[in-house]
Amino acid sequence: MFFTYLRRELRRRRKAALVVASGLALGIALVIVVNSVSAGMNQAQDKVLQSLYGLGTDMTVTKAATAPKAGEGGRPRFEFGAKDDGKEQSSDRVMVQGFQTLAASTVDKVASQKGVADAVGGLSLQVMKVDGQFKRGQFKQDPGSGGATRQGGPGGEPRGRVEGGGASFDVNSYSVYGTDVTKAGLGPRTSSKITEGRAFKTSEADAKVAVADASYAKEKKLALGDSVKIKGVTYEVVGIATPDSGDAAADLYLPLKQAQTLAGAKGKITTVYVKATDSQQISAVKRGIQKNISGTTVTTSADLADTVSGSLSTASNLAANVGRWLSIAVLVAAFLVAGLLTSSAVSRRVREFGTLKALGWKSGRVTRQVVGEAVVNGLVGGALGIAVGLAGAYAVTAISPTLTAQLGSGAGGGGGRGPGVVMGGPGISQAAGKSLDIALSAPVSATTITLAVGLAVAGGLIAGGFGGWRASRLRPADALRRVE
């Protein structure tokens, strides 16, 4: 009886039911689109962060910034002894990024802290290569000087001048990252995939091998098996790595011990990359490390996310604030409209409900009938809202608007130059002043769909509650005296 009456009433009042369902559908669709876009923003931001410090890294530990000592200004100096004309001269200056290092034993100290699942050290270097040649100037005698002597000079010296000469040098700068080959699953190297060749083997802890970034390899025309020379040491290229998004963490990757030898920093690292056992306890782990390991700065991925600006940050804030509040406002309005329309429909059915009560229907049964109709309207609205919301999310993904992420340099951290010290890793300093273009998508999760269904039911219950309350207050005698 309940379902039969429900089906007949919904058919008879199709227009009113469609209006209520459409209002709920609009609010639910907006919630789906806003939630999906927000999820896409989070994914885009994760891509930016992952391109900087690698997959799985929750925080980094770097040396706390200190004032440079006298004579440690950090400026690269090159010394040349002039050679004969035409002789190429070359000099490499290998510098530690940020000029701040930690003892390699810090990795074990960090790994022993509560809440730390794994930790690995890395050494970020910048290599400046200067090569070119000096050219000796030529002495040219002044015309007509003959045997004349210079005024005030010794007799017999011809007058003239030196012409030409000088120096022509090319300066090339590139980044090198020393990675612990025994822990390949953590650190900046994980932000790139090996697309040619192979990664480092665990047995190559001190081997003269290198993995080159794909863009750097293309620029320098490097292929598998080629050699690169740094500070007179030759390294064989065994792999080519392509970053998943954004810029690569470094142009060249070397085993950590080799990088330490090149920089004259044996037993030193620039960064400890940390993976927490529980993502919900990252703040607690950060506090523990700062308390127990002095002279360090701990930066989490959340800290780094605060430095990301550009259209990605603007759109993320817009979706999180304006979009969320707008969807809530639309939902509240849709619920109120649905409730008022249902209540108004009850007012027009006074005679009908009065007759049913006169026939023996209890107030609770009348209320359940009204609520049932409203819930069905809500479910229909939910189905329409999910369809429209999915279409909107698909449209955003299909269009894939490009957002720009600019890495800010205002965050403090490792005591280095520019934003490279935010997470202490090589990728950020390399990306300083650069923009990363990220394609926005709008993934729809099962949680979002569940939320939409819940809102549909809630909207129906709220609307049914309004109408049911009105219907339960009707008295058969009063109802029968009114004309519908």
Side-chain angles (χ1 to χ4, degrees), residues 5-15 17:
Y5 192 86
L6 178 66
R7 184 175 64 254
R8 289 176 178 174
E9 283 302 312
L10 289 175
R11 283 182 179 178
R12 190 163 66 90
R13 303 179 186 278
R14 286 191 297 268
K15 291 184 179 179

Side-chain angles (χ1 to χ4, degrees), residues 199-216:
F200 296 117
K201 299 177 181 178
T202 55
S203 60
E204 295 176 326
D206 199 17
K208 293 180 174 60
V209 290
V211 171
D213 170 61
S215 298
Y216 183 76

Side-chain angles (χ1 to χ4, degrees), residues 237-448:
V237 178
V238 296
I240 305 294
T242 302
D244 293 330
S245 62
D247 290 337
D251 295 319
L252 290 174
Y253 301 93
L254 301 178
L256 179 57
K257 288 185 178 180
Q258 283 293 319
Q260 291 170 333
T261 301
L262 284 175
K266 289 189 176 181
K268 300 291 184 179
I269 56 174
T270 51
T271 313
V272 181
Y273 298 86
V274 183
K275 181 178 182 180
T277 55
D278 185 355
S279 60
Q280 303 300 318
Q281 301 297 321
I282 291 178
S283 296
V285 176
K286 174 182 178 179
R287 290 193 297 270
I289 295 175
Q290 288 178 324
K291 178 181 178 181
N292 299 324
I293 305 176
S294 60
T296 59
T297 296
V298 182
T299 310
T300 67
S301 54
D303 297 330
L304 181 57
D306 292 338
T307 71
V308 178
S309 60
S311 61
L312 173 60
S313 178
T314 303
S316 181
N317 292 334
L318 189 64
N321 298 319
V322 179
R324 193 160 297 168
W325 283 111
L326 178 61
S327 61
I328 291 174
V330 172
L331 267 179
V332 171
F335 286 175
L336 288 177
V337 170
L340 291 174
L341 289 176
T342 303
S343 180
S344 176
V346 170
S347 299
R348 293 194 298 271
R349 297 167 66 186
V350 170
R351 187 175 181 183
E352 172 190 339
F353 291 136
T355 303
L356 292 175
K357 281 193 170 186
L359 293 175
W361 279 39
K362 301 293 184 182
S363 294
R365 186 175 180 182
V366 173
T367 300
R368 287 194 298 273
Q369 194 68 46
V370 174
V371 172
E373 294 176 11
V375 169
V376 171
N377 287 337
L379 292 175
V380 173
L384 290 174
I386 291 173
V388 174
L390 290 175
Y394 176 79
V396 172
T397 303
I399 296 173
S400 295
T402 300
L403 300 178
T404 300
Q406 181 70 40
L407 300 173
S409 59
R417 57 180 189 170
V421 301
V422 176
M423 288 294 283
I428 306 172
S429 59
Q430 187 180 3
K434 294 183 180 179
S435 297
L436 303 179
D437 293 330
I438 304 293
L440 176 65
S441 62
V444 181
S445 64
T447 303
T448 303

